């Protein structure tokens, strides 16, 4: 009877001396720093021939049969597992000391090391062990009632299932401690056990997972409702990006825009098993939208401007935060995780947030006006302005640029061109700035045709908040690439126009000059160069930019939310590059050679102004014409090759060839020239 009482005490976590227990095994010592003992490291129990004379272990071993000792030792090991799990619960349930952390834009974070999931895990363990504790209490009550003994067989039967459960829980808490699991990773570990195949362990894992999902739903409520991260680092599956600085700078608008594009990300290692990557991206989008909309409300409150009045489609304005909390409440009240309902909730919130973001960018920030400005100045819709700018810059571009003064000189020319064309009062032109040199502003993967050292010239566009959310650096980079390409084409055709003027001027100087100007080597070369480059420019301006701009305008007008708007702009700028064949190196390299040949030809013609024997330069023009025929033949060979014809570019390639070779004559001449020159 006394030994059975010791066994029941051991099952309750109090291992007496008869089984080798010490003072360290008492509850009073469990408040110290937790250092788990391994599940297979249990040395408690009845051991025959024990050398410890301080207890009567050997006496009991002599009185008991081997089978009875094994049953008792098994029950003591169950108590050992329970004790270690209880120690884990005791340590993890203690309040953590408060530690002030840096706050970023009023973001609230739970202090400490991010132990919210660990505390919830410990509470779940305590709930799981309630049945075990009740059986221990009943056994103690049975012994204290005095109705007789408690057979070992009955104890063994009652704690048989507990043996399997608490041993698995002991292994689990050891792995949690050793791997320092927390946050979503700990929730994933519990969810994996929900399908382990052992019924009692699966039920316990469900309780643990539900306990931690309470924390997850609180974090979801804070993020979806207010755009705030709640919890320590490593807790939530939405986290700050390692690439994003929390300091961000003094300009809050720039900080907000940079935060939208790269401030937060989804950590796959913390995703619960039931949350798909697509659903996590939707959660990320809603939280980021809430931060932007909250910033807009704060700005409006300070400036007294009107708030967003709905989505612009007849819907009344309603707080997305209140809708998020209302949609999460039914999910939180259920046991288990219901993936279809969760996905439906976050996708519905994403749609509502995208509608608000669409109104903020398109209606409030007047995105269509800025898209028109980008078309006017970057895609050269205002041809008179760019012609005036080219005229102002032509004398400057005759010399090598001075990197220290080039930007100021181009800026002055930009102002003069605006005055000449009556655009000095255009408020959006003030957002256009001429830049020279510096980091490459466009796509690093493109190899654009080049003219000379003035290729370092490019335009920048100052984007006001919140347009930077959709006019991203990548989108503006593609606009800059298109400008750099079109500007070089316009420079080259301008040089050919100057060649025509120069030839008219020198034709009356002497008979030799007149013969040079009338020579087919000179005129045919100029006509062929002008035909190729001018038709390329016409194709880009009319068949690519105009067609794509109309399609973009339609999509912006028909877009139902911010995501549609992002996709439309990305498709538009991608089409500018791909349909202009700027990402086809074989074409841009051929065009690069043709442009350089144009400048050689122009310099050779301008040199005849001071030449007394112009006819001596005819061999030079013949070589330039042969070089052009060779390059033109290679270009047509690439354009008519099977590789491009069989790709998705085929319709645009056909349109381009129609511009260059509408009657087949240019292609035939190019082919003959290529065959003639080998």
């Amino acid at each position: 009877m006394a030994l059975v009482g010791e066994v029941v005490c051991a099952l309750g976590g109090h291992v007496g001396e008869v089984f080798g227990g010490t003072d360290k095994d008492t509850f009073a010592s469990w408040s110290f720093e937790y250092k788990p003992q391994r599940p297979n490291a249990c040395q408690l129990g009845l051991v025959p021939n024990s050398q410890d004379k301080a207890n009567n272990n050997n006496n009991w071993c002599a009185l008991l049969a081997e089978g009875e000792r094994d049953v008792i030792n098994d029950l003591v090991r169950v108590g050992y597992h329970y004790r270690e799990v209880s120690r884990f619960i005791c340590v993890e349930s203690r309040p953590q000391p408060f530690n002030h952390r840096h706050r970023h834009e009023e973001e609230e974070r739970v202090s400490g090391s991010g132990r919210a999931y660990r505390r919830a895990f410990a509470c779940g363990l305590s709930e799981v062990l309630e049945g075990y504790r009740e059986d221990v209490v009943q056994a103690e009550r049975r012994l204290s009632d005095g109705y007789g003994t408690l057979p070992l067989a009955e104890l063994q039967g009652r704690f048989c299932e507990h043996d399997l459960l608490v041993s698995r829980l002991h292994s689990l808490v050891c792995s949690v401690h050793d791997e320092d699991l927390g946050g979503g990773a700990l929730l994933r570990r519990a969810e994996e056990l929900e399908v382990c195949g052992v019924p009692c362990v699966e039920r316990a894992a469900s309780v643990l997972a539900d306990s931690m999902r309470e924390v997850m739903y609180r974090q979801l409520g804070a993020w979806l409702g207010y755009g705030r991260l709640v919890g320590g680092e490593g807790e939530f599956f939405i986290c700050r990006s390692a690439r994003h600085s929390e300091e961000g700078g003094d300009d809050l608008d720039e900080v907000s825009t940079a935060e939208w594009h790269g401030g937060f990300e989804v950590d796959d290692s913390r995703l619960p098993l039931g949350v798909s990557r697509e659903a996590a991206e939707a959660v990320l989008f809603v939280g980021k939208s809430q931060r932007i909309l909250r910033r807009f409300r704060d700005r409006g409150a300070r400036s007294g401007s009107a708030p967003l009045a709905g989505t612009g489609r007849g819907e009344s304005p309603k707080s997305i935060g209140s809708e998020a909390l209302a949609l999460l409440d039914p999910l939180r009240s259920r046991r288990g995780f219901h993936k279809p309902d969760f996905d439906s909730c976050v996708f519905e919130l994403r749609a509502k947030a995208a509608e608000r973001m669409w109104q903020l960018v398109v209606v409030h920030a007047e995105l269509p006006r800025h898209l028109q400005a980008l078309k006017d100045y970057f895609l050269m819709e205002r041809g008179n302005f760019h012609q005036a700018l080219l005229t102002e810059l032509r004398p400057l571009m005759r010399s090598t640029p001075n990197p220290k003064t080039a930007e100021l000189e181009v800026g002055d020319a930009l102002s003069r061109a605006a005055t000449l064309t009556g655009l000095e009062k255009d408020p959006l032109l003030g957002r256009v700035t001429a830049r020279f040199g510096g980091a490459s502003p466009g796509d690093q993967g493109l190899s654009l045709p080049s003219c000379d050292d003035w290729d370092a010239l490019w335009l920048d566009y100052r984007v006001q908040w919140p347009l930077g959310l959709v006019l991203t650096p990548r989108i503006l980079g593609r606009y800059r690439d298109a400008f750099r390409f079109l500007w070089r084409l316009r420079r080259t055709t301008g040089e050919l126009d100057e060649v025509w003027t120069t030839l008219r001027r020198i034709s009356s100087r002497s008979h030799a000059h007149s013969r040079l100007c009338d020579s087919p080597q000179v005129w045919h070369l100029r006509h062929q160069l002008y035909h190729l480059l001018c038709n390329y420019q016409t194709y880009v301006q009319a068949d690519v930019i105009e067609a794509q701009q109309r399609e973009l305008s339609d999509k912006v007008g028909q877009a139902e939310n911010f995501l549609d708007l992002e996709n439309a702009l990305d498709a538009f700028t991608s089409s500018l590059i791909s349909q202009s064949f700027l990402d086809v190196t074989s074409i841009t390299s051929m065009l690069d050679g043709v442009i350089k040949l144009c400048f050689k030809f122009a310099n050779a013609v301008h040199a005849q102004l001071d030449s007394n024997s112009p006819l001596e330069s005819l061999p030079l023009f013949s070589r330039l014409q042969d070089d052009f025929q060779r390059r033109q033949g290679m270009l047509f060979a690439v354009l008519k090759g099977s590789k491009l014809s069989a790709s998705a570019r085929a319709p645009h390639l056909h349109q381009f060839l129609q511009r260059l070779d509408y009657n087949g004559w240019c292609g035939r001449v190019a082919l003959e020239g290529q065959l003639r020159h080998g």
Side-chain angles (χ1 to χ4, degrees), residues 295-608:
R295 173 157 181 75
F296 174 74
R297 289 192 297 269
D298 293 343
R299 287 167 60 101
R302 291 194 298 268
S303 62
S305 60
L308 294 179
T311 62
R313 292 173 171 80
E315 296 182 9
S316 60
K318 186 179 179 181
S319 169
I320 297 178
S322 61
E323 292 185 17
L325 297 178
L327 289 172
L328 286 176
D329 278 341
L331 299 177
R332 182 181 301 176
S333 61
R334 301 179 188 175
R335 296 194 67 86
F337 184 80
H338 301 270
K339 177 176 169 53
D341 294 340
F342 178 83
D343 290 349
S344 175
C345 169
V346 297
F347 292 148
E348 180 179 348
L349 289 173
R350 181 180 66 178
K352 293 180 181 297
E355 288 177 357
R356 299 294 172 84
M357 293 295 295
W358 176 90
Q359 189 202 11
L360 175 66
V361 173
V362 176
V363 179
H364 176 78
E366 300 178 312
L367 175 65
R369 288 183 62 241
H370 292 269
L371 292 179
Q372 184 61 45
L374 288 171
K375 182 187 178 187
D376 290 343
Y377 301 114
F378 282 73
L379 304 183
M380 298 192 177
E381 170 76 4
R382 293 188 179 272
N384 58 340
F385 169 77
H386 289 92
Q387 185 60 43
L389 178 61
L390 183 60
T391 302
E392 293 291 329
L393 288 176
R394 185 172 286 119
L396 184 63
M397 290 183 171
R398 295 293 185 193
S399 59
T400 303
N402 182 352
K404 296 181 180 179
T405 61
E407 195 167 298
L408 292 176
E409 293 168 335
V410 174
D412 292 339
L414 195 70
S415 300
R416 294 194 298 271
T419 302
L420 290 172
T421 54
L423 295 174
E424 68 276 10
K425 294 183 179 180
D426 184 358
L428 296 184
L429 180 58
R431 297 186 174 278
V432 179
T433 308
R435 303 292 186 190
F436 188 86
S440 176
D443 191 336
Q444 300 287 343
L446 294 183
S447 178
L448 298 176
S450 62
C451 298
D452 51 26
D453 293 339
W454 284 96
D455 290 341
L457 172 66
W458 52 282
L459 293 184
D460 193 16
Y461 191 79
R462 181 168 52 86
V463 178
Q464 67 180 9
W465 191 90
L467 287 175
L469 305 179
V470 65
L471 294 179
T472 63
R474 183 178 63 172
I475 297 295
L476 291 177
R478 291 171 181 170
Y479 272 104
R480 294 185 188 113
D481 284 332
F483 167 78
R484 293 160 70 201
F485 174 66
L486 291 170
W487 176 253
R488 293 170 195 180
L489 281 182
R490 185 175 284 269
R491 274 194 66 193
T492 308
T493 55
E495 285 296 321
L496 294 176
D497 289 335
E498 287 293 307
V499 165
W500 186 90
T501 303
T502 301
L503 288 174
R504 292 295 89 193
R505 287 175 57 192
I506 67 176
S507 62
S508 59
R509 290 191 57 184
S510 66
H511 178 67
H513 285 89
S514 178
R515 287 182 59 189
L516 173 68
C517 295
D518 293 337
S519 63
Q521 295 97 321
V522 177
W523 280 111
H524 286 179
L525 179 57
R526 181 196 172 276
H527 289 329
Q528 290 171 349
L529 286 170
Y530 197 85
H531 173 83
L532 175 62
L533 295 176
C534 191
N535 278 283
Y536 201 148
Q537 185 176 357
T538 303
Y539 163 76
V540 175
Q541 294 279 178
D543 299 332
V544 178
I545 294 177
E546 284 299 326
Q548 292 299 318
Q549 186 75 26
R550 285 195 300 271
E551 186 174 345
L552 174 64
S553 299
D554 292 341
K555 288 182 177 179
V556 170
Q558 298 171 3
E560 297 183 354
N561 55 54
F562 183 82
L563 297 174
D564 294 341
L565 193 63
E566 280 187 320
N567 294 334
L569 266 174
D570 186 68
F572 169 72
T573 52
S574 297
S575 297
L576 289 184
I577 301 301
S578 62
Q579 293 183 21
S580 300
F581 307 106
L582 299 184
D583 54 347
V584 182
T585 307
S586 56
I587 294 179
T588 56
S589 62
M590 293 296 103
L591 190 61
D592 179 78
V594 171
I595 288 177
K596 286 183 169 60
L597 189 147
C598 282
F599 279 86
K600 290 181 182 178
F601 172 64
N603 292 333
V605 171
H606 297 321
Q608 304 312 310

Side-chain angles (χ1 to χ4, degrees), residues 161 164-165 168 189-206:
E161 184 174 325
L164 178 60
L165 177 61
R168 291 291 293 269
R189 182 65 60 87
E191 290 176 330
E192 290 169 357
L193 285 177
E194 286 186 288
V195 290
C196 67
V198 182
C200 63
V201 178
E202 289 182 348
R203 290 192 297 270
S206 296

Side-chain angles (χ1 to χ4, degrees), residues 104-105 244-260 295 465:
H104 182 272
E105 264 193 29
H244 180 74
S245 170
E246 290 199 15
E247 298 296 333
D250 297 328
D251 191 330
L252 294 181
D253 289 345
E254 291 184 4
V255 170
S256 178
T257 302
E259 187 181 75
W260 171 268
R295 173 157 181 75
W465 191 90

Side-chain angles (χ1 to χ4, degrees), residues 73-147:
N73 290 339
D74 290 341
L75 292 173
V76 171
R77 274 192 295 272
V78 173
Y80 166 76
H81 296 314
Y82 167 75
R83 185 195 68 185
E84 291 302 311
V85 175
S86 297
R87 291 180 64 187
F88 178 89
I89 294 172
C90 180
V91 172
E92 293 296 337
S93 298
R94 289 183 302 174
Q96 297 288 333
F98 188 79
N99 177 30
H100 290 281
R101 297 178 63 88
H102 172 70
R103 291 188 178 185
H104 182 272
E105 264 193 29
E106 305 178 6
E107 179 170 318
E108 296 178 354
R109 297 185 178 182
V110 173
S111 58
S113 304
R115 298 293 181 178
Y117 280 80
R118 292 281 281 261
R119 288 194 292 273
F121 178 69
C123 291
L125 285 174
S126 182
E127 182 179 348
V128 168
L129 293 178
E130 281 299 322
Y132 180 93
R133 296 191 186 101
E134 289 178 2
D135 284 344
V136 172
V137 170
Q138 288 180 7
E140 291 176 344
R141 189 173 298 160
R142 175 82 174 272
L143 288 176
S144 62
D145 285 345
Y147 293 115

